[in-house]
Amino acid sequence: MEMQSHGGIRSGSPPAVPREGAQRSTEALSVVDLHKSFGTLEVLKGVSLDAHEGDVIAIIGASGSGKSTLLRCINMLEVPDAGEVRVGGELIRMRTGRNGRTMPEDQSQVDRIRSRLGMVFQSFNLWSHLTILENVIEAPVHVQKRPRPECVAEANAILDKVGIADKRDHYPAHLSGGQQQRAAIARALAMKPQVMLFDEPTSALDPELVGEVLRVIRQLAEEGRTMLIVTHEIGFAREVSNRAIYLHQGRIEEEGPPAQVFGNPRSERCRQFIQSHI
Amino acid sequence: MELLSWGDKGWGDELFFATLMTLAVATAAFLLGLVFGSLGAAAKLSRHGWLRAIADGYTTIMRGVPDLLVIYLFYFGGSALVTYVANKWLGTSGFVGINAFTIGALAIAILSGAYSTEVIRGAVLAIPKGEIEAARAVGMSRLLLFRRILAPQALRYALPGLGNVWQLALKETALISVTGLVEIMRQSTIAAGSTKKPFTFYAAAAVLYLVLTTLSTYAFQRAEDRSMRGMRRA
């Protein structure tokens, strides 16, 4: 397992005011003033957030508040209209195309950065023509180009950890939703991502299957993994996160430690949202 | 029965080689048609309006004009073009013919490519969007995504439709007998004419076509079963 530095010893004293472009060694992800519109509908109206290594950030909000779009803009599944995304200090370079729309300057940089972000989707999106094991080793073998035997050994360990080792030779269609989502988490973990992005990981599950997926995510949080979790599971979010963000109509309406956001929010809208979701 | 026997007295060996010729033309045409079909489907799914327009024109014309007419256009148009080019630049004079196999295979390839275009386009659209997105999310390049996720999945959605296209191509080869290529149809006509037993030979031809189509239906069924591993069956 990788070592993660939690406020470890740093050489030299940091400057009192961080210089432009300077980064703290533990910064895993940084988003600055993200804007995104679909047609005339402005979904993100300037969202900024920072995640340091080991942070578990819960993102909550009503549907249409922009939480999924925010997550999808971070790995460029949606291309933001304006703003900056940095992963591990590396800025995703953008340019304006001939049609006036912004686009990544270098697709291979985007591909490389994506491989450092583990995305878990609401609808699992396992590759249906591959077995569970093949799903898990696909990206390590073909994107990261690591030796297959090593990837298989790791995949077996990960599948064991998420509790579906016995399903490794099955195809996704033959698994329950909860098992598929755990397989999808295993697929993301196999890339050894710097940051995990969860996009409503339990919203498509039958209620009795939610628990098994949340258990896996909680375990990852306890290991100190950096994660952004978009979720409607308020209780879970409160328990597992060390920071929470409430999005409302494309803006961050409330942000802070979970005790504050979930227990004593300053925003009236946030308070109402949480009350209606408990 | 002697008429269908092997050797000098019967037409068995001639019909056998004609069957091989039918298979060869059909296979060449089908495979080339797959290339046209893939290009056509890519054009139809393209972001660029002009590419979509070209592909739409291609499938509309090829599916809307009788197949025999397309073959005539290719045969006479192709010959005229080759003759013109040869006379002008290669110093030949007079009519220059093109190999009937080449022109026949090309004509059927163009026709079956139009049908393949629609089949492949439908297959690509049938792939769950989320699986493509998941492939992008793990950092696959466009080429890798095509090779590892899109193509294998599209193939399995396309197989039933491509089975049909193959069967059509196989039967359309009968039309290129008009160019003088000795395949099953042409060979039966020759045999029927020289023995004055048309029914016998056309019946034999029907059996030969049926054998080919039945075998290929079986082969496609096997391929389909194999490709559908892991699919939930309705």
Side-chain angles (χ1 to χ4, degrees), chain A residues 72 75-77 111 114-115 117 119 121 125-130 138-139 142-143 171 173-175 187 191, chain B residues 128 130-142 144 147-149 152-153 156-157 229-232:
Chain A
R72 294 166 57 82
N75 65 2
M76 296 285 144
L77 285 179
D111 291 341
R114 277 176 178 161
S115 72
L117 297 167
M119 180 89 167
F121 298 89
N125 296 347
L126 293 167
W127 297 304
S128 53
H129 63 304
L130 302 176
E138 177 67 23
H142 291 100
V143 177
Y171 286 93
H174 300 132
L175 269 61
R187 172 175 68 179
M191 299 287 283
Chain B
E131 296 187 29
I132 304 289
E133 209 156 65
R136 292 168 61 204
V138 294
M140 285 194 186
S141 65
R142 288 173 66 117
L144 190 62
R147 188 163 65 80
R148 297 290 309 171
I149 308 295
Q153 295 231 40
R156 76 175 180 187
Y157 288 114
R229 281 178 312 179
M231 294 284 277
R232 210 184 267 283

Coordinates of all heavy atoms in Angstrom, one line a residue, chain A residues 72 75-77 111 114-115 117 119 121 125-130 138-139 142-143 171 173-175 187 191, chain B residues 128 130-142 144 147-149 152-153 156-157 229-232:
Chain A
R72 N -17.9 15.6 -12.7 CA -17.6 15.3 -14.1 C -16.7 16.3 -14.7 O -16.0 16.0 -15.7 CB -18.8 15.1 -14.9 CG -19.7 13.9 -14.4 CD -21.1 13.9 -14.9 NE -21.1 13.9 -16.4 CZ -20.9 12.9 -17.1 NH1 -20.8 11.7 -16.6 NH2 -20.9 13.0 -18.4
N75 N -12.8 15.5 -14.0 CA -12.0 14.6 -14.9 C -12.3 14.8 -16.3 O -12.1 14.0 -17.2 CB -12.2 13.1 -14.5 CG -13.6 12.6 -14.6 OD1 -14.4 13.3 -15.1 ND2 -13.8 11.4 -14.3
M76 N -12.9 16.0 -16.6 CA -13.1 16.4 -18.0 C -14.1 15.6 -18.8 O -14.1 15.6 -20.0 CB -11.8 16.5 -18.8 CG -10.8 17.5 -18.2 SD -11.3 19.2 -18.6 CE -10.8 20.0 -17.1
L77 N -14.9 14.8 -18.1 CA -16.0 14.1 -18.8 C -17.0 15.2 -19.3 O -17.6 15.0 -20.3 CB -16.7 13.1 -17.9 CG -16.0 11.8 -17.6 CD1 -16.8 10.9 -16.7 CD2 -15.6 11.1 -18.9
D111 N -5.9 12.3 -20.6 CA -5.9 10.9 -20.4 C -5.1 10.5 -19.2 O -5.4 9.6 -18.4 CB -5.5 10.2 -21.7 CG -6.5 10.3 -22.8 OD1 -7.6 10.7 -22.5 OD2 -6.1 10.2 -24.0
R114 N -6.7 11.6 -16.0 CA -7.8 10.7 -15.7 C -7.4 9.4 -15.0 O -8.1 8.9 -14.2 CB -8.6 10.4 -16.9 CG -9.6 11.5 -17.3 CD -10.2 11.1 -18.7 NE -11.1 12.1 -19.1 CZ -11.5 12.2 -20.4 NH1 -11.0 11.5 -21.3 NH2 -12.4 13.1 -20.7
S115 N -6.3 8.9 -15.5 CA -5.8 7.6 -14.9 C -5.4 7.8 -13.5 O -5.2 6.8 -12.8 CB -4.7 7.0 -15.8 OG -3.5 7.8 -15.6
L117 N -7.3 9.6 -11.4 CA -8.6 9.9 -10.7 C -9.5 8.6 -10.9 O -9.8 8.2 -12.0 CB -9.3 11.1 -11.4 CG -8.6 12.4 -11.3 CD1 -9.2 13.4 -12.2 CD2 -8.6 12.9 -9.8
M119 N -12.9 7.0 -10.9 CA -14.3 7.5 -10.9 C -15.2 6.3 -10.7 O -15.1 5.3 -11.3 CB -14.6 8.1 -12.3 CG -16.0 8.6 -12.5 SD -16.2 10.3 -11.9 CE -17.7 10.8 -12.6
F121 N -19.3 5.5 -10.9 CA -20.5 6.1 -11.4 C -21.8 5.5 -10.7 O -21.8 4.4 -10.1 CB -20.7 5.7 -12.9 CG -19.6 6.2 -13.8 CD1 -18.4 5.5 -14.0 CD2 -19.7 7.5 -14.4 CE1 -17.4 6.0 -14.8 CE2 -18.7 7.9 -15.2 CZ -17.5 7.2 -15.4
N125 N -21.5 1.1 -14.7 CA -20.8 1.2 -16.0 C -19.7 0.2 -16.2 O -18.6 0.6 -16.8 CB -20.3 2.6 -16.3 CG -21.4 3.6 -16.4 OD1 -22.6 3.3 -16.5 ND2 -21.1 4.9 -16.3
L126 N -19.8 -1.0 -15.6 CA -18.8 -2.0 -15.9 C -18.9 -2.4 -17.3 O -20.0 -2.3 -18.0 CB -19.1 -3.2 -15.0 CG -18.9 -3.0 -13.5 CD1 -19.5 -4.2 -12.7 CD2 -17.4 -2.9 -13.2
W127 N -17.8 -2.8 -17.9 CA -17.8 -3.2 -19.3 C -18.4 -4.6 -19.4 O -17.9 -5.6 -18.9 CB -16.4 -3.2 -19.9 CG -15.8 -1.8 -19.8 CD1 -16.4 -0.7 -20.4 CD2 -14.7 -1.3 -19.2 NE1 -15.6 0.4 -20.1 CE2 -14.6 0.0 -19.4 CE3 -13.7 -2.0 -18.4 CZ2 -13.5 0.8 -18.9 CZ3 -12.6 -1.2 -17.9 CH2 -12.6 0.2 -18.1
S128 N -19.6 -4.7 -20.1 CA -20.4 -5.8 -20.1 C -19.8 -7.0 -20.8 O -20.2 -8.2 -20.6 CB -21.8 -5.5 -20.6 OG -21.7 -4.9 -21.8
H129 N -18.8 -6.8 -21.7 CA -18.3 -7.9 -22.5 C -17.1 -8.5 -21.8 O -16.4 -9.4 -22.3 CB -17.9 -7.4 -23.9 CG -16.8 -6.4 -23.9 ND1 -16.9 -5.2 -23.2 CD2 -15.6 -6.4 -24.5 CE1 -15.8 -4.5 -23.4 NE2 -15.0 -5.2 -24.2
L130 N -16.7 -8.0 -20.6 CA -15.6 -8.5 -19.9 C -16.0 -9.1 -18.5 O -17.0 -8.6 -17.9 CB -14.5 -7.4 -19.6 CG -14.0 -6.7 -20.9 CD1 -13.1 -5.5 -20.4 CD2 -13.2 -7.6 -21.7
E138 N -8.3 -4.3 -16.8 CA -8.3 -3.7 -18.1 C -7.4 -2.4 -18.2 O -6.5 -2.3 -19.0 CB -9.7 -3.4 -18.5 CG -9.9 -2.7 -19.9 CD -9.5 -3.5 -21.0 OE1 -9.5 -4.8 -20.9 OE2 -9.1 -3.0 -22.1
A139 N -7.7 -1.5 -17.3 CA -7.0 -0.2 -17.3 C -5.5 -0.4 -16.9 O -4.6 0.1 -17.5 CB -7.7 0.8 -16.6
H142 N -3.8 -2.1 -19.9 CA -3.7 -1.4 -21.2 C -3.5 0.1 -21.1 O -3.0 0.7 -22.1 CB -5.0 -1.7 -22.0 CG -5.1 -3.1 -22.4 ND1 -5.9 -4.1 -21.7 CD2 -4.5 -3.8 -23.4 CE1 -5.7 -5.3 -22.3 NE2 -4.9 -5.1 -23.3
V143 N -3.9 0.7 -20.0 CA -3.6 2.1 -19.9 C -2.3 2.4 -19.2 O -1.4 3.1 -19.7 CB -4.7 2.9 -19.2 CG1 -4.4 4.3 -19.0 CG2 -6.1 2.7 -19.9
Y171 N -19.7 -12.4 -15.5 CA -19.9 -11.2 -16.2 C -20.8 -10.3 -15.4 O -21.6 -10.7 -14.6 CB -20.5 -11.5 -17.6 CG -19.5 -12.1 -18.5 CD1 -19.4 -13.5 -18.6 CD2 -18.7 -11.3 -19.3 CE1 -18.5 -14.1 -19.5 CE2 -17.8 -11.9 -20.2 CZ -17.7 -13.3 -20.3 OH -16.8 -13.8 -21.1
A173 N -23.4 -8.7 -15.8 CA -24.9 -8.8 -15.9 C -25.4 -9.9 -14.9 O -26.5 -9.9 -14.5 CB -25.3 -9.2 -17.3
H174 N -24.5 -10.7 -14.4 CA -24.9 -11.8 -13.5 C -24.7 -11.4 -12.1 O -24.9 -12.3 -11.2 CB -24.1 -13.1 -13.9 CG -24.4 -13.5 -15.3 ND1 -23.4 -13.9 -16.1 CD2 -25.5 -13.6 -16.0 CE1 -23.9 -14.2 -17.3 NE2 -25.2 -14.1 -17.2
L175 N -24.3 -10.2 -11.8 CA -24.1 -9.7 -10.4 C -25.3 -8.8 -10.0 O -25.9 -8.2 -10.8 CB -22.8 -9.0 -10.3 CG -21.6 -9.8 -9.9 CD1 -21.3 -10.8 -11.0 CD2 -20.4 -8.9 -9.8
R187 N -12.4 -1.7 -9.7 CA -11.9 -1.3 -11.0 C -11.2 0.1 -10.8 O -10.1 0.3 -11.4 CB -12.9 -1.2 -12.1 CG -12.5 -0.6 -13.4 CD -13.5 -0.6 -14.5 NE -14.6 0.3 -14.2 CZ -15.7 0.5 -15.0 NH1 -15.7 -0.2 -16.1 NH2 -16.6 1.3 -14.7
M191 N -6.3 1.2 -10.4 CA -5.4 2.2 -11.0 C -4.6 2.9 -10.0 O -3.8 3.8 -10.3 CB -6.3 3.2 -11.7 CG -7.2 2.7 -12.8 SD -6.2 2.2 -14.3 CE -5.9 3.8 -15.0
Chain B
P128 N -24.0 0.8 -24.4 CA -24.4 1.7 -23.3 C -23.4 2.9 -23.2 O -22.2 2.6 -23.1 CB -24.3 0.8 -22.1 CG -24.5 -0.6 -22.6 CD -23.9 -0.6 -23.9
G130 N -22.7 4.8 -20.8 CA -21.9 4.8 -19.6 C -20.6 4.0 -19.7 O -19.6 4.3 -19.1
E131 N -20.6 2.9 -20.5 CA -19.4 2.1 -20.6 C -18.4 2.8 -21.4 O -17.2 2.6 -21.1 CB -19.8 0.7 -21.3 CG -20.8 -0.1 -20.4 CD -21.0 -1.5 -21.0 OE1 -20.1 -2.0 -21.6 OE2 -22.1 -2.0 -20.7
I132 N -18.8 3.6 -22.3 CA -17.8 4.4 -23.1 C -17.2 5.5 -22.1 O -16.0 5.7 -22.1 CB -18.5 5.1 -24.3 CG1 -19.2 4.1 -25.2 CG2 -17.6 6.0 -25.0 CD1 -18.4 3.3 -26.0
E133 N -18.1 6.0 -21.3 CA -17.7 7.1 -20.4 C -16.7 6.5 -19.4 O -15.7 7.1 -19.0 CB -18.9 7.6 -19.7 CG -18.7 9.0 -19.2 CD -20.1 9.7 -19.1 OE1 -20.8 9.2 -18.2 OE2 -20.4 10.6 -19.8
A134 N -17.0 5.3 -18.9 CA -16.1 4.6 -18.0 C -14.7 4.4 -18.6 O -13.7 4.6 -17.9 CB -16.7 3.3 -17.5
A135 N -14.7 4.1 -19.9 CA -13.4 3.9 -20.5 C -12.6 5.2 -20.6 O -11.4 5.3 -20.4 CB -13.6 3.3 -21.9
R136 N -13.4 6.3 -20.9 CA -12.7 7.6 -21.0 C -12.2 8.0 -19.6 O -11.1 8.5 -19.4 CB -13.6 8.7 -21.4 CG -14.0 8.5 -22.9 CD -15.2 9.4 -23.3 NE -14.9 10.8 -23.1 CZ -15.8 11.8 -22.9 NH1 -17.1 11.4 -22.9 NH2 -15.5 13.0 -22.8
A137 N -13.0 7.6 -18.6 CA -12.7 8.0 -17.2 C -11.4 7.3 -16.7 O -10.8 7.8 -15.8 CB -13.8 7.8 -16.2
V138 N -11.1 6.1 -17.2 CA -9.8 5.5 -16.7 C -8.6 6.0 -17.5 O -7.5 5.5 -17.3 CB -9.9 4.0 -16.7 CG1 -10.9 3.4 -15.7 CG2 -10.1 3.4 -18.1
G139 N -8.9 6.9 -18.5 CA -7.7 7.4 -19.2 C -7.4 6.7 -20.5 O -6.3 6.9 -21.0
M140 N -8.4 6.0 -21.1 CA -8.1 5.4 -22.3 C -8.0 6.4 -23.4 O -8.9 7.3 -23.5 CB -9.2 4.4 -22.7 CG -9.2 3.1 -21.9 SD -10.2 1.9 -22.7 CE -10.1 0.6 -21.4
S141 N -7.1 6.3 -24.3 CA -7.0 7.1 -25.5 C -8.1 6.7 -26.4 O -8.7 5.6 -26.3 CB -5.7 7.0 -26.2 OG -5.6 5.7 -26.7
R142 N -8.4 7.5 -27.4 CA -9.5 7.2 -28.4 C -9.3 5.9 -29.1 O -10.2 5.1 -29.2 CB -9.6 8.3 -29.4 CG -10.2 9.6 -28.9 CD -10.1 10.7 -29.9 NE -11.0 10.3 -31.0 CZ -12.0 11.1 -31.4 NH1 -12.3 12.2 -30.7 NH2 -12.8 10.7 -32.4
L144 N -7.4 3.3 -28.1 CA -7.5 2.2 -27.1 C -9.0 1.9 -26.8 O -9.4 0.8 -26.8 CB -6.7 2.5 -25.8 CG -6.6 1.4 -24.8 CD1 -5.7 0.3 -25.5 CD2 -5.9 1.9 -23.6
R147 N -10.5 0.1 -29.7 CA -10.0 -1.3 -29.8 C -10.5 -2.2 -28.7 O -10.9 -3.4 -29.0 CB -8.4 -1.3 -29.8 CG -7.8 -2.6 -30.1 CD -6.3 -2.3 -30.5 NE -5.5 -1.8 -29.4 CZ -5.0 -2.6 -28.4 NH1 -5.3 -3.9 -28.4 NH2 -4.3 -2.0 -27.4
R148 N -10.5 -1.7 -27.5 CA -10.8 -2.6 -26.3 C -12.3 -2.6 -25.9 O -12.7 -3.6 -25.4 CB -9.9 -2.2 -25.1 CG -8.5 -2.3 -25.3 CD -8.0 -3.7 -25.4 NE -8.5 -4.5 -24.3 CZ -8.4 -5.8 -24.2 NH1 -7.8 -6.5 -25.1 NH2 -8.9 -6.4 -23.2
I149 N -13.0 -1.5 -26.2 CA -14.3 -1.4 -25.6 C -15.3 -1.3 -26.8 O -16.3 -2.1 -26.9 CB -14.5 -0.2 -24.7 CG1 -13.4 -0.2 -23.6 CG2 -15.9 -0.1 -24.1 CD1 -13.5 -1.4 -22.7
P152 N -15.2 -4.4 -29.8 CA -15.8 -5.7 -29.4 C -17.2 -5.7 -29.1 O -18.0 -6.6 -29.4 CB -14.9 -6.1 -28.2 CG -14.0 -5.0 -28.0 CD -14.1 -4.0 -29.0
Q153 N -17.7 -4.6 -28.5 CA -19.1 -4.5 -28.1 C -19.9 -4.3 -29.4 O -21.0 -4.9 -29.5 CB -19.3 -3.4 -27.2 CG -18.6 -3.6 -25.9 CD -19.6 -3.4 -24.7 OE1 -20.7 -3.8 -24.8 NE2 -19.1 -2.8 -23.7
R156 N -20.6 -7.4 -31.4 CA -21.6 -8.4 -30.9 C -23.0 -7.9 -31.1 O -23.9 -8.7 -31.4 CB -21.4 -8.8 -29.5 CG -21.8 -7.8 -28.4 CD -21.5 -8.5 -27.1 NE -21.9 -7.7 -26.0 CZ -21.7 -8.0 -24.8 NH1 -21.1 -9.1 -24.5 NH2 -22.0 -7.2 -23.8
Y157 N -23.2 -6.6 -31.1 CA -24.5 -6.1 -31.4 C -24.8 -6.1 -32.9 O -25.9 -6.2 -33.4 CB -24.7 -4.6 -31.0 CG -24.8 -4.5 -29.5 CD1 -23.8 -3.8 -28.7 CD2 -25.9 -5.0 -28.8 CE1 -23.9 -3.7 -27.4 CE2 -26.0 -4.8 -27.4 CZ -25.0 -4.2 -26.7 OH -25.1 -4.1 -25.4
R229 N -21.7 -14.0 -24.7 CA -21.3 -14.4 -23.3 C -21.4 -13.2 -22.4 O -21.0 -12.2 -22.7 CB -19.9 -15.0 -23.3 CG -19.8 -16.4 -23.8 CD -18.3 -16.8 -23.8 NE -17.5 -15.7 -24.4 CZ -16.2 -15.8 -24.5 NH1 -15.5 -16.8 -24.0 NH2 -15.6 -14.8 -25.1
G230 N -22.0 -13.4 -21.3 CA -22.1 -12.3 -20.3 C -23.2 -11.4 -20.5 O -23.4 -10.5 -19.8
M231 N -24.0 -11.6 -21.6 CA -25.2 -10.8 -21.8 C -26.4 -11.4 -21.1 O -26.6 -12.6 -21.1 CB -25.5 -10.7 -23.3 CG -24.4 -10.0 -24.1 SD -24.5 -8.2 -23.8 CE -25.8 -7.8 -25.0
R232 N -27.2 -10.5 -20.5 CA -28.4 -11.0 -19.9 C -29.4 -11.3 -21.1 O -29.5 -10.5 -22.0 CB -29.0 -9.9 -19.0 CG -29.8 -10.4 -17.9 CD -30.4 -9.3 -17.2 NE -29.5 -8.8 -16.1 CZ -29.5 -9.4 -14.9 NH1 -30.1 -10.5 -14.7 NH2 -28.7 -8.9 -13.9

